[in-house]
Amino acid sequence: MTVIVSEVLVERLAAWGVDTIFGLPGDGINGIMEGLRRHADRVRFVLVHHEEAAAFMAAAHAKATGRIGVCLATSGPGGIHLLNGLYDAKLDHQPVLAITGMQETSVLGTGYQQEVHLDRLYADVAEYNLVVDNPAQVPGVVDIAIRTAYARRGVAHLSVPNDVQVAPADADPYQHVAPARPPATAPIYLPPPGIPRHEDLQAAAEVLNAGERVAILAGAGALHARQEVLAVADVLGAPVIKTLPGKAVIPDDSPYAVGGIGLLGTKPGEDLVEDCDTLFMIGTNFPYTKHLPEPGGTRVVQIEADPARAGVRIPTRVPMIGDAREGLAALLPLLRRNEDRAHLEKYQKAMNHWREDMAALESPKRDPIAPQYLMSRINHLAADDAILTCDSGTIATWAARHWTIRGDRGFYLSGNLATMAPGLPYAIAMQLAFPGRQVIAFVGDGGFAMLMAEFLTAARYRLPITVVVNNNGSLGQILWEQMVLGYPEHGVRFGEPASDFSAWARSCGAYGRKVTSPGDVDEAVRQALEHDGPALVDVDVNPNEPPMPGKVSYEQAKKFVEAFLRGQPHKVAIATTLFKDKISQLGR
């Protein structure tokens, strides 16, 4: 049997350690599918129902494993569908390779069916972007694409025309110059040195040692540096704020943890940003500058892997380029222990008060079901190494505040893109990557409905993921955003008939249960977690529970009142819920 180009493509991916490709076949990639069939023992093809989900899965694989994620789509519409998931990878700086098909080279430029020049479409999303038009290119450009994705922490794209896919692997029709021939040995990626320059470490230590009220802001770039972050926090007596993608950097019950900042953050976190005289940013390029200290008023030190991103958010006294773990390990011997713990103790007390306030909202007596209670029960019943994936919206607020990082727990969501719908595809990819761990998708009804066909994917592969739908019958985050802008809500509630996604789960041959009473939440979640296979619990929660910021500004409160005065249609229910929230906290 003649060896075809697609086999070389698959073999080279396998040499890089790729063992899984997420995708959806089409006539534009039939040759690549044949290459995968011939090497099914080396690379697993995971069949999805929508290409957007395939790209989300590739991004999730990269986020959870640190290894490149690969997705595959046909020419034209298939490649177009990948884009949202690829932008999720781009904006969260994850290495992903997208492989797409293309019409035969002889018909390009003739307006042939599904002729979409995906290399042009991907010009913004891809760090490396190439149409392969010569079989001799393939081994070399696969290596370059993967190295670029790793080096630039982003998306690489290879588009392979149909005729090139099935051409003989040794074909070289032009033979202008000798093609790049990578060695037959397994390729490697050499990361840049992870230790910042010595003079930068010394300058950083001088600033940090001089600080009297130091705070740490840790992000996803520090997820692998837990012990080093905790050691630095201990030496400096510094409370640690965590970005949402960096929620798992340190445990939530750590004496140094003060939660997050921003709309989904905590009051202690917000207060600390305003109070600190020195801020140490570790592995984060936090984009919401209005939640950072006022420029010029706080000394800032940053350790950042990408030179292009260092110091771009806030005036930075000492930007350091390097890996969070290696950089912190090199910095630690230069730091002087701060024996004055008053600053740290102040925020430990504030955080204890915050935790009590959050616990007061987790009441099983509230009817309709409080989303805080639902998330608290998932948190209580899940294993200490469980992975929680989350969609964007109000559910991200409940997860941020009521999913406790302890042990080896993970937490993943679409960070900078903040797109809807990745929660379920993320869970599928992570269960495939970590078959021995509990994987839970906490999703909203709006986001789940977008890619709910992928629950059938989970059922087909018998993946024991647990999906919990926080069903408020609305696009909850947009509802509250409209009110904070001073507008009465409009076009954000789905209305009747009410959705019942548990029926969909059962039709897929999986566990499915609808919950409408607080007394049934525990049993339903427990049974779902124990089920040997995919399970879904659809929980009707209070649609009028507001995801209030950790610290409400005067302007936010003013606009909220304006929305009420202008005719907010559910103002009585919302006011009643707010009243119950406050009574719960006062009565704790």
Side-chain angles (χ1 to χ4, degrees):
M1 184 182 299
T2 301
V3 177
I4 60 176
V5 167
S6 292
E7 289 185 81
V8 176
L9 171 66
V10 175
E11 288 170 353
R12 202 63 194 161
L13 292 174
W16 275 97
V18 173
D19 58 13
T20 304
I21 294 178
F22 306 96
L24 187 64
D27 57 6
I29 52 171
N30 278 332
I32 296 176
M33 292 303 299
E34 173 61 11
L36 285 166
R37 185 193 68 82
R38 295 185 187 184
H39 295 281
D41 59 328
R42 299 185 67 187
V43 178
R44 169 178 55 185
F45 177 72
V46 175
L47 173 62
V48 303
H49 287 270
H50 196 291
E51 291 91 352
E52 181 181 3
F56 280 140
M57 291 176 190
H61 178 89
K63 288 182 179 184
T65 67
R67 303 191 307 272
I68 192 162
V70 183
C71 54
L72 174 66
T74 190
S75 54
I80 294 169
H81 283 163
L82 287 177
L83 272 174
N84 197 42
L86 294 181
Y87 270 101
D88 181 45
K90 172 186 171 70
L91 269 63
D92 281 353
H93 313 294
Q94 297 301 321
V96 165
L97 172 63
I99 302 171
T100 63
M102 179 70 80
Q103 281 68 28
E104 285 81 356
T105 55
S106 60
V107 299
L108 292 178
T110 68
Y112 200 75
Q113 184 187 35
Q114 294 188 341
E115 184 180 344
V116 176
H117 291 263
L118 294 172
D119 56 319
R120 301 175 196 171
L121 185 66
Y122 284 21
D124 179 61
V125 77
E127 299 288 343
Y128 184 84
N129 190 13
L130 181 71
V131 177
V132 178
D133 52 19
N134 188 326
Q137 288 177 279
V138 171
V141 298
V142 169
D143 284 5
I144 296 169
I146 292 178
R147 285 198 179 98
T148 303
Y150 277 130
R152 299 182 184 169
R153 302 296 300 175
V155 175
H157 171 230
L158 295 175
S159 187
V160 189
N162 279 337
D163 50 335
V164 176
Q165 294 174 28
V166 296
D170 58 356
D172 188 1
Y174 309 113
Q175 297 183 357
H176 298 309
V177 295
R181 300 285 186 188
T185 55
I188 59 171
Y189 167 69
L190 298 175
I195 301 177
R197 296 182 305 181
H198 182 66
E199 55 265 39
D200 293 337
L201 289 166
Q202 286 184 316
E206 288 178 9
V207 173
L208 294 169
N209 287 333
E212 296 180 357
R213 302 185 310 278
V214 182
I216 292 173
L217 176 61
L223 285 171
H224 66 307
R226 173 180 289 187
Q227 297 309 316
E228 289 76 13
V229 171
L230 289 171
V232 169
D234 178 58
V235 170
L236 297 175
V240 179
I241 304 165
K242 301 183 292 181
T243 68
L244 195 55
K247 181 174 171 62
V249 171
I250 67 171
D252 281 312
D253 58 0
S254 164
Y256 303 101
V258 294
I261 53 176
L263 295 178
L264 280 62
T266 66
K267 187 177 185 300
E270 289 289 317
D271 288 342
L272 177 58
V273 167
E274 298 175 3
D275 180 40
C276 66
D277 63 15
T278 308
L279 180 66
F280 189 8
M281 299 174 65
I282 305 173
T284 181
N285 193 34
F286 191 75
Y288 309 106
T289 52
K290 69 178 182 180
H291 295 285
L292 292 175
E294 287 293 325
T298 302
R299 296 181 297 273
V300 178
V301 173
Q302 182 181 18
I303 182 165
E304 164 62 54
D306 186 349
R309 296 200 300 267
V312 302
R313 299 299 183 195
I314 187 173
T316 305
R317 186 75 62 90
V318 183
M320 295 182 288
I321 308 304
D323 171 76
R325 182 168 61 190
E326 293 183 52
L328 294 179
L331 178 65
L332 266 167
L334 305 177
L335 297 178
R336 182 171 62 249
R337 183 172 183 82
N338 181 2
E339 299 296 346
D340 184 354
R341 302 319 240 191
H343 173 63
L344 176 62
E345 290 169 358
K346 172 183 175 181
Y347 286 95
Q348 288 173 338
K349 292 176 182 177
M351 199 59 195
N352 288 338
H353 184 79
W354 173 266
R355 291 186 181 107
E356 290 171 356
D357 280 349
M358 291 301 100
L361 299 176
E362 301 171 351
S363 172
K365 299 177 182 179
R366 301 274 292 278
D367 196 358
I369 299 167
Q372 299 97 322
Y373 174 65
L374 171 61
M375 186 69 254
S376 74
R377 301 322 297 160
I378 298 170
N379 178 61
H380 176 73
L381 295 168
D384 283 354
D385 66 345
I387 297 172
L388 185 78
T389 67
C390 187
D391 269 359
S392 299
T394 56
I395 48 167
T397 302
W398 316 135
R401 295 176 178 172
H402 303 274
W403 171 253
T404 302
I405 297 299
R406 61 175 186 261
D408 293 324
R409 280 186 170 181
F411 177 74
Y412 297 94
L413 81 172
S414 175
N416 285 308
L417 187 61
T419 181
M420 293 175 67
L424 174 59
Y426 272 25
I428 291 171
M430 292 180 187
Q431 191 71 80
L432 286 165
F434 302 106
R437 293 177 68 176
Q438 212 174 55
V439 179
I440 305 163
F442 183 56
V443 298
D445 52 310
F448 180 75
M450 287 183 172
L451 289 174
M452 60 189 287
E454 300 309 329
F455 192 79
L456 190 57
T457 302
R460 184 185 315 114
Y461 289 96
R462 294 296 299 167
L463 299 176
I465 64 169
T466 299
V467 179
V468 181
V469 181
N470 184 82
N471 195 335
N472 58 14
S474 66
L475 299 171
Q477 191 68 35
I478 307 305
L479 185 161
W480 300 109
E481 286 176 353
Q482 289 178 355
M483 292 184 66
V484 169
L485 291 171
Y487 310 141
E489 68 175 72
H490 181 70
V492 291
R493 301 206 189 227
F494 292 115
E496 300 296 334
S499 56
D500 181 0
F501 296 109
S502 67
W504 165 242
R506 291 191 295 274
S507 74
C508 295
Y511 175 95
R513 181 165 174 179
K514 182 72 170 179
V515 176
T516 59
S517 171
D520 295 332
V521 170
D522 251 39
E523 180 191 12
V525 172
R526 182 180 288 105
Q527 288 180 354
L529 290 172
E530 294 173 351
H531 182 70
D532 184 20
L536 183 147
V537 181
D538 183 5
V539 184
D540 287 352
V541 299
N542 186 354
N544 299 304
E545 183 71 47
M548 299 299 287
K551 192 172 184 178
V552 180
S553 68
Y554 170 78
E555 190 63 25
Q556 288 170 328
K558 177 184 173 184
K559 293 294 186 181
F560 202 79
V561 171
E562 286 178 3
F564 269 51
L565 295 176
R566 289 174 179 172
Q568 168 63 27
H570 296 272
K571 61 183 178 183
V572 174
I574 293 170
T576 300
T577 300
L578 285 169
F579 178 75
K580 289 180 178 178
D581 284 352
K582 187 52 64 177
I583 290 297
S584 295
Q585 290 176 338
L586 292 173
R588 56 180 165 79

